[in-house]
Amino acid sequence: MAFDIEMIKEVYARFPERISAARKAVGRPLTLTEKILYSHLTEGAASQAFERGKSYVDFQPDRVAMQDATAQMALLQFMQAGRDKVAVPSTVHCDHLIQAEVGAEKDLNKAKDKNKEVYDFLASVSNKYGIGFWKPGAGIIHQVVLENYAFPGGMMIGTDSHTPNAGGLGMIAIGVGGADACDVMAGLPWELKFPKLIGVKLTGKMSGWTSAKDVILKVAGILTVKGGTGAIVEYFGEGARSLSATGKGTICNMGAEIGATTSIFGYDEKSAAYLKGTGRADIADMADAIAEHLTGDEEVYANPEKYFDQLIEINLSELEPHVNGPFTPDLAWPISKFAAAVRENGWPAKLDVGLIGSCTNSSYEDISRAASLAQQAVDKRLNAKSEYTITPGSEQVRYTVERDGFLDTFGKMGGVVLANACGPCIGQWARHGAEKQEKNSIITSFNRNFAKRADGNPNTHAFVASPEIVTALAIAGDLTFNPLTDTLTNAEGHQVKLDEPKGLELPTKGFAVEDAGYQAPAEDGSSVQVLVSPTSDRLQLLDSFPAWEGTDLKGLKLLIKAKGKCTTDHISMAGPWLKYRGHLDNISNNMLIGAVNAFNDATNKVKNQLTGEYGEVPATQRQYKAAGIGSIVVGDENYGEGSSREHAAMEPRFLGVRAILVKSFARIHETNLKKQGMLALTFANPSDYDLIQEDDAIDIIGLTSFAPGKPLQIVLNHKDGSSHTIHANHTYNEGQIEWFKAGSALNLIKANA
């Protein structure tokens, strides 16, 4: 029996009627994406067609998922919403705060002790408000969701950018900030600009060394880190149907790296097999009954160029394994060209560490295929030249692969099994020697590889590949090794070649687990006390942000002009800062410390216009705040790409930054800024970025007549007495303008409550 089965029955019961209404409103056949979106309208049955990329639409998601680092702030906000219980099924997953250091058991025990007050808070607030709680060690949120909660045709939001992992089971699953989660848990509609649609037609069938990971590595190379912004990617074709459900999840998961709103595959035999294999045959039976509604219409896939805004076609039979990186997940190299790229670019060829697992690639299939290579290393007398770690995605997967002997196989190769948690993928890695900041290379089956993300070392060249390629290169210890063509020298001096990896999509003996790590909430939480100590440096109850004062903003100091890539990792780093995710004041001390200052090419070193001296970004901003002076941050393209963390929006808001002015935004970050009452603005002329000077005082004119589609004026008052007046665009609609005026979206919720 699946979780929330009655809710799923209700969703499926209304599907035929709502899809019929949508088809009538739109006047043509529907993609799968459109079927699910139109069947989740807050208004009910569709009465009009929405314009892709322009119409703001209210949706009613079926559920909410939160990981522990983001859940803290989301639930601190929800506590102010005036509700006794969440309005939709919701869960919290403790996966981000466990630091990888020596091995699973010791690392987990250390995390439970170190993070006790945070876990106690999350457990108590979940218990009080009817939220399912997955304890530390239970697994990574996206793998646990895929195993327990994802269902074809459903709609979910999650406070993590890799929430789209659930698209592998045909679910519209979208990463959001905590304020959006708060809205949905409070029973309010969730607003999204109706997305554009990118179709990816997969033909042929994979074999040999190629895996599902290589599909998204290839797509990332085609679309780049911003090519999917504002769009949902829908995969279809015979090739799509040949992929396992978890393989599809891998592709959807890493769709976050192209900026996509989410990605999705249709329901098919592989989906049904995974549902049945994870104890949800009842959902598979219900999905079979409405299968025609859980995939795009035949006419759409027969003539996809008519129905998608962009179309990509990939022949899986011809697809090579890929390695992407370093420093960005869209620098894509077919394995046949990777060795030459390593040599030509002077990247360290010696491979220090290979890491497999994470939310992206920790399924039974992934681990079994990697284990087949580890077994070959043992059998062929090959000693792994690199360090090698394995991160299971869930306790269910870990228990099962241990039962089936795979963990023992990895151990014989010298592998170290880490806790069922995010670990190195998000910077929770106490990597020994990283503090020396030496130039080195690592390769992972993770999803992101921004500078400093994994270990804090800006000189670590991180590459992304499938678990199979990671394992093979770890055995070789050399990035220029091509396992498809090259041989290795074994302990006896013989030349040996690795055979193609082999694995199983699902365990032949079924999944098994003793304690999955789930804690159900109280039936009546009215007497449950939420645990927050007033003296804690980890948790802090929130105060409301002040409302807009009703005037134009003048005399704003330029805090920083960020140069180049500025992700949410640059704006609000993870790693050691994760411990402060529930304490807004403390975590604000990491605000923008990773951003590169365009005036000196330094990080965390900006000019304080009050003193004329250079100092750290947060300290400088705190001086502006103490003096009652607002400020502005200027940025480059795709500002705020990466993780969904709303702290990257809340920290500037808390410290007194009034506006973010950039060439372009990543979707989630722009929404997070709006939710927190910030001004998220873009240069009408991107070249105006070059006019910003270090000592500028900046005015924002037009706020007293702030309206949708109406640009604002920005006056750049330079130190020499000259000035420039430029224009800034925005995407605020009427409701979002009210968030700004009220001081935040949460302020409006509280007022209505």
Side-chain angles (χ1 to χ4, degrees):
M1 175 66 82
F3 284 95
D4 309 309
I5 193 70
E6 294 304 319
M7 176 269 286
I8 297 171
K9 287 180 180 178
E10 291 179 11
V11 172
Y12 283 178
R14 65 177 182 249
F15 246 65
E17 178 186 352
R18 291 201 174 183
I19 290 174
S20 176
R23 196 175 283 115
K24 181 179 179 181
V26 175
R28 56 166 174 75
L30 300 175
T31 64
L32 170 62
T33 300
E34 291 169 317
K35 289 182 179 183
I36 300 176
L37 291 177
Y38 276 103
S39 67
H40 283 83
L41 298 176
T42 301
E43 68 181 67
S47 58
Q48 61 176 312
F50 297 106
E51 190 172 357
R52 296 176 187 172
K54 292 188 177 181
S55 300
Y56 280 94
V57 183
D58 285 342
F59 294 101
Q60 193 61 56
D62 301 312
R63 66 177 313 111
V64 173
M66 298 164 280
Q67 40 95 337
D68 51 354
T70 52
Q72 295 172 61
M73 197 58 69
L75 293 173
L76 285 166
Q77 292 177 85
F78 178 76
M79 288 169 63
Q80 300 185 56
R83 285 191 64 100
D84 296 329
K85 191 173 184 178
V86 291
V88 300
S90 304
T91 51
V92 168
H93 305 258
C94 295
D95 61 359
H96 271 57
L97 301 179
I98 303 167
Q99 187 175 46
E101 187 171 7
V102 294
E105 185 176 359
K106 289 183 178 179
D107 292 347
L108 179 57
N109 289 334
K110 185 176 180 179
K112 287 179 178 178
D113 179 61
K114 184 178 179 181
N115 303 310
K116 185 178 186 304
E117 67 173 313
V118 173
Y119 293 147
D120 287 348
F121 162 69
L122 293 173
S124 64
V125 74
S126 297
N127 201 25
K128 183 174 183 65
Y129 293 109
I131 299 168
F133 181 70
W134 290 82
K135 294 178 283 189
I140 306 173
I141 176 173
H142 312 303
Q143 181 67 25
V144 173
V145 165
L146 196 70
E147 292 174 4
N148 295 279
Y149 298 111
F151 67 96
M155 186 179 197
M156 176 180 76
I157 61 170
T159 61
D160 189 281
S161 55
H162 293 104
T163 299
N165 191 79
L169 267 182
M171 193 173 202
I172 291 286
I174 300 176
V176 299
D180 279 352
C182 179
D183 284 0
V184 174
M185 289 189 293
L188 299 178
W190 176 61
E191 183 185 72
L192 178 72
K193 184 183 288 186
F194 204 89
K196 293 184 177 181
L197 299 182
I198 298 174
V200 179
K201 182 178 181 180
L202 301 180
T203 61
K205 188 174 182 179
M206 295 184 308
S207 62
W209 284 88
T210 306
S211 75
K213 180 64 163 252
D214 298 306
V215 175
I216 186 58
L217 294 176
K218 172 77 171 179
V219 170
I222 295 170
L223 289 176
T224 77
V225 292
K226 59 180 292 186
T229 302
I232 290 180
V233 183
E234 183 172 324
Y235 292 83
F236 62 94
E238 59 173 333
R241 293 189 296 273
S242 72
L243 299 174
S244 68
T246 52
K248 293 169 184 171
T250 291
I251 294 168
C252 294
N253 177 300
M254 203 175 158
E257 272 51 71
I258 57 173
T261 301
T262 193
S263 303
I264 193 169
F265 285 80
Y267 178 72
D268 57 22
E269 295 84 354
K270 299 285 190 178
S271 312
Y274 186 74
L275 286 169
K276 293 171 183 175
T278 51
R280 293 174 288 170
D282 43 0
I283 295 179
D285 291 341
M286 290 193 298
D288 286 340
I290 60 164
E292 66 183 288
H293 301 307
L294 300 176
T295 186
D297 287 337
E298 289 184 10
E299 299 94 325
V300 169
Y301 297 152
N303 300 284
E305 64 281 353
K306 292 183 180 180
Y307 301 98
F308 292 98
D309 299 292
Q310 183 177 352
L311 185 64
I312 297 169
E313 185 168 338
I314 297 173
N315 185 340
L316 299 183
S317 301
E318 300 173 355
L319 180 65
E320 276 190 69
H322 276 60
V323 180
N324 286 24
F327 305 127
T328 185
D330 59 349
L331 188 59
W333 303 98
I335 192 70
S336 61
K337 298 179 180 179
F338 182 57
V342 171
R343 297 186 185 100
E344 290 169 8
N345 289 283
W347 299 327
K350 177 180 176 292
L351 180 63
D352 281 14
V353 192
L355 307 96
I356 69 165
S358 87
C359 67
T360 324
N361 280 102
S362 57
S363 67
Y364 187 90
E365 180 181 26
D366 290 325
I367 292 177
S368 66
R369 282 173 63 86
S372 75
L373 294 170
Q375 186 64 56
Q376 287 188 55
V378 174
D379 295 343
K380 297 183 179 185
R381 304 292 306 280
L382 290 167
N383 298 315
K385 299 294 195 307
S386 304
E387 293 181 32
Y388 183 71
T389 69
I390 306 96
T391 303
S394 70
E395 175 58 16
Q396 178 168 270
V397 166
R398 188 212 63 78
Y399 188 95
T400 304
V401 298
E402 181 180 45
R403 178 201 68 188
D404 293 349
F406 298 144
L407 297 189
D408 182 58
T409 300
F410 289 131
K412 291 177 182 176
M413 195 188 88
V416 175
V417 179
L418 300 176
N420 312 323
C422 300
C425 185
I426 60 161
Q428 282 285 51
W429 185 19
R431 186 184 180 191
H432 308 296
E435 70 281 353
K436 298 176 185 177
Q437 300 203 350
E438 294 174 334
K439 190 175 180 181
N440 74 101
S441 289
I442 66 173
I443 190 166
T444 80
S445 68
F446 305 163
N447 39 47
R448 293 199 174 122
N449 58 344
F450 303 140
K452 299 195 286 187
R453 178 173 172 90
D455 62 2
N457 178 2
N459 297 311
T460 292
H461 292 57
F463 298 88
V464 180
S466 68
E468 300 92 317
I469 294 296
V470 170
T471 304
L473 294 186
I475 293 169
D478 185 351
L479 286 180
T480 65
F481 173 68
N482 182 349
L484 282 70
T485 58
D486 299 346
T487 60
L488 295 169
T489 305
N490 71 4
E492 298 167 348
H494 299 146
Q495 293 297 303
V496 296
K497 190 172 185 292
L498 293 172
D499 300 323
E500 295 174 352
K502 299 184 185 304
L504 297 168
E505 293 181 10
L506 295 167
T508 55
K509 293 187 288 185
F511 284 105
V513 67
E514 287 185 348
D515 178 8
Y518 176 70
Q519 175 181 299
E523 286 292 328
D524 179 2
S526 59
S527 62
V528 176
Q529 181 181 359
V530 177
L531 304 177
V532 179
S533 169
T535 60
S536 173
D537 75 340
R538 299 281 305 267
L539 297 164
Q540 179 188 50
L541 296 176
L542 295 175
D543 292 323
S544 299
F545 290 134
W548 172 55
E549 52 269 72
T551 63
D552 289 335
L553 302 180
K554 297 185 177 181
L556 303 178
K557 301 295 186 185
L558 175 68
L559 176 61
I560 186 173
K561 179 180 176 180
K563 176 183 176 181
K565 188 183 286 287
C566 191
T567 72
T568 51
D569 278 284
H570 295 90
I571 304 167
S572 176
M573 287 186 177
W577 291 96
L578 282 173
K579 66 181 180 180
Y580 295 128
R581 284 283 180 88
H583 198 295
L584 184 54
D585 194 5
N586 284 345
I587 199 169
S588 292
N589 288 321
N590 79 356
M591 184 190 72
L592 285 158
I593 64 175
V596 176
N597 185 350
F599 298 110
N600 57 15
D601 287 331
T603 57
N604 204 22
K605 188 177 182 182
V606 296
K607 188 172 184 179
N608 184 328
Q609 292 192 42
L610 299 180
T611 66
E613 299 177 352
Y614 285 84
E616 297 179 345
V617 182
T620 301
Q621 181 56 37
R622 286 186 186 274
Q623 287 196 37
Y624 292 155
K625 182 179 181 180
I629 299 171
S631 65
I632 186 170
V633 169
V634 172
D636 214 319
E637 296 282 3
N638 207 29
Y639 183 88
E641 72 171 276
S643 298
S644 67
R645 63 192 65 154
E646 66 182 331
H647 297 77
M650 294 186 78
E651 291 172 32
R653 180 73 169 104
F654 176 73
L655 291 183
V657 177
R658 301 302 301 271
I660 311 293
L661 174 63
V662 301
K663 293 180 183 178
S664 65
F665 282 106
R667 175 190 63 85
I668 299 176
H669 187 62
E670 182 182 23
T671 300
N672 286 346
L673 290 168
K674 292 178 179 181
K675 286 275 185 176
Q676 301 303 335
M678 295 278 285
L679 286 171
L681 309 175
T682 56
F683 291 101
N685 181 356
S687 65
D688 287 343
Y689 170 92
D690 299 325
L691 298 176
I692 307 294
Q693 298 179 18
E694 191 171 28
D695 291 289
D696 280 353
I698 299 173
D699 304 332
I700 302 177
I701 308 300
L703 291 175
T704 54
S705 57
F706 196 9
K710 183 179 180 182
L712 297 171
Q713 280 192 329
I714 307 292
V715 182
L716 309 175
N717 300 296
H718 306 309
K719 189 176 181 180
D720 63 4
S722 64
S723 67
H724 284 93
T725 298
I726 63 176
H727 289 91
N729 295 330
H730 64 84
T731 60
Y732 288 76
N733 59 28
E734 292 286 0
Q736 294 168 346
I737 290 172
E738 292 305 309
W739 298 345
F740 168 73
K741 291 179 178 179
S744 72
L746 182 58
N747 286 355
L748 281 183
I749 294 176
K750 289 192 291 186
N752 292 333

